């Protein structure tokens, strides 16, 4: 098991008021279609520079996103593993947005 | 740029499309509840104004606080309280509905622009997570994040959505029960009676609709509370998973 990052504190990121799943899923979805720069993500997801850096570092360490060099610019793209994680995330949501549908306890 | 666009699996397209369809259906429920609330507020405000007008002009001043006229005063007071409660609900809920609806419209617009005005089975959507995050920040009991009064009030309202709605429903119920008695008091003019009847039925109709939709939203909120815990578990799982292994 990998050692957890220091910035990760319980369910929330220390430097942000948002939960880990909110930030991570948003980054993974943003980098799905095409590679994105750190500045683009910073502006779109509205995070502090330190938080986006740590988030990208974390997602990279878990192989969920990869770094790509495009004309001397560093960009980030969601990997197959990241795509897999996002599918799981969407499926969880689908299950719960089903009106009048009872959910069963899923184990990860 | 296009050569950097990766190939994505069918499962991703399917799961995104599935979520989006459910979000759109859910959004219709949010809108229906909002429309019913607005209709209820309009009819309730009009009724209050009408009753105040009766009190000041039609009913004799010397008999204002006597006998049956007291009922009109009680009804007017109840309606005023109801107007404040529903007004607050419309404001807070309206902010939420407008925000999530704007996100949903953006998801659709972005995709129409980037996919040349066509949606195919391999259309990638962007913004679904943002929609979910907004629903989470409004409805999660754990999401009271700011200490500003306005945010605390809105957090309280959404985390007690149904309880708050029950209070206004109770007052609305009493108001509607009392209303036929009030309408029969001294209002014999053929001009006022149809207006009162129309307002009454508008209130009853919108009240029933608000009640039904609030029950549906309440059931959803209960489910989402379990979802939020699962999403946090999803993040925890990402955190604990070794880099070289598949996640799920």
């Amino acid at each position: 098991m990998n050692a957890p990052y220091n910035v990760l504190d319980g369910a929330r990121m220390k430097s942000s008021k948002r939960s880990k799943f909110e930030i991570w899923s948003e980054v993974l979805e943003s980098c799905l279609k095409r590679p994105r720069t750190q500045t683009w993500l910073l502006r779109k997801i509205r995070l502090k520079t330190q938080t986006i850096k740590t988030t990208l570092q974390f997602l990279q360490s878990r192989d969920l996103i990869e770094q790509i060099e495009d004309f001397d610019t560093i960009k980030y793209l969601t990997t197959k593993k990241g795509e897999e994680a996002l599918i799981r995330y969407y499926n969880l949501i689908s299950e719960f947005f089903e009106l009048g549908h009872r959910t069963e306890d899923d184990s990860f | 740029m296009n050569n950097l666009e990766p190939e994505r699996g069918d499962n991703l397209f399917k799961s995104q499309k599935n979520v989006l369809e459910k979000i759109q259906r859910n959004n219709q429920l949010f809108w229906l509840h909002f429309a019913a609330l607005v209709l209820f507020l309009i009819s309730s405000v009009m009724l209050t104004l009408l009753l105040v007008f009766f009190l000041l002009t039609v009913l004799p001043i010397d008999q204002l606080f006597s006998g049956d006229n007291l009922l009109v005063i009680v009804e007017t007071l109840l309606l005023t309280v109801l107007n404040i409660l529903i007004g607050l609900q419309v404001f807070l809920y309206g902010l939420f509905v407008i925000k999530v609806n704007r996100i949903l419209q953006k998801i659709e617009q972005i995709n129409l622009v980037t996919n040349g005005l066509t949606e195919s089975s391999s259309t990638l959507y962007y913004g679904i997570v943002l929609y979910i995050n907004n629903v989470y920040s409004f409805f999660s009991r754990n999401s009271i994040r700011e200490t500003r009064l306005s945010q605390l009030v809105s957090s309280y309202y959404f985390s007690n959505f149904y309880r708050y709605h029950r209070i206004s429903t109770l007052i609305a119920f009493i108001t509607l029960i009392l209303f036929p008695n009030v309408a029969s008091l001294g209002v014999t003019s053929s001009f006022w009676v149809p207006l009162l009847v129309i307002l009454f039925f508008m209130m009853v109709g919108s009240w029933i609709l608000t009640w039904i939709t609030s029950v549906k939203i309440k059931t959803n909120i209960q489910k989402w509370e379990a979802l939020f815990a699962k999403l946090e578990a999803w993040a925890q799982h990402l955190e604990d998973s070794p880099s070289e292994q598949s996640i799920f």
Side-chain angles (χ1 to χ4, degrees), chain A residues 12-54:
Chain A
R12 295 189 192 290
M13 306 282 283
K14 249 186 188 171
S15 55
S16 171
K17 298 226 159 52
R18 278 183 268 179
S19 301
K20 288 187 288 190
F21 79 82
E22 288 180 89
I23 298 173
W24 294 349
S25 53
E26 220 169 321
V27 172
L28 288 176
E29 194 184 64
S30 303
C31 302
L32 255 186
K33 197 172 169 67
R34 55 177 64 113
R36 304 291 189 189
T37 60
Q38 187 179 294
T39 321
W40 190 94
L41 291 167
L42 204 73
R43 235 179 280 145
K44 276 280 169 190
I45 307 177
R46 281 178 292 170
L47 287 172
K48 289 175 185 167
T49 316
Q50 190 50 46
T51 315
I52 194 74
K53 271 186 187 168
T54 335

Side-chain angles (χ1 to χ4, degrees), chain A:
Chain A
M1 193 180 284
N2 294 13
Y5 276 62
N6 293 335
V7 285
L8 305 173
D9 180 28
R12 295 189 192 290
M13 306 282 283
K14 249 186 188 171
S15 55
S16 171
K17 298 226 159 52
R18 278 183 268 179
S19 301
K20 288 187 288 190
F21 79 82
E22 288 180 89
I23 298 173
W24 294 349
S25 53
E26 220 169 321
V27 172
L28 288 176
E29 194 184 64
S30 303
C31 302
L32 255 186
K33 197 172 169 67
R34 55 177 64 113
R36 304 291 189 189
T37 60
Q38 187 179 294
T39 321
W40 190 94
L41 291 167
L42 204 73
R43 235 179 280 145
K44 276 280 169 190
I45 307 177
R46 281 178 292 170
L47 287 172
K48 289 175 185 167
T49 316
Q50 190 50 46
T51 315
I52 194 74
K53 271 186 187 168
T54 335
T55 303
L56 292 171
Q57 216 179 324
F58 165 77
L59 293 173
Q60 258 188 291
S61 75
R62 297 296 188 274
D63 282 342
L64 297 166
I65 57 167
E66 60 185 326
Q67 203 172 292
I68 286 172
E69 276 197 37
D70 182 28
F71 300 110
D72 295 334
T73 318
I74 294 173
K75 292 183 175 179
Y76 298 91
L77 183 71
T78 305
T79 59
K80 274 275 163 214
K81 197 178 165 188
E83 186 185 317
E84 210 182 293
L86 212 52
I87 291 172
R88 175 70 192 154
Y89 177 91
Y90 289 140
N91 289 344
L92 271 176
I93 291 161
S94 283
E95 221 178 87
F96 279 83
F97 265 93
E98 196 92 66
L99 298 173
H101 168 82
R102 277 182 166 272
T103 52
E104 284 159 30
D105 233 12
D106 274 342
S107 54
F108 281 96

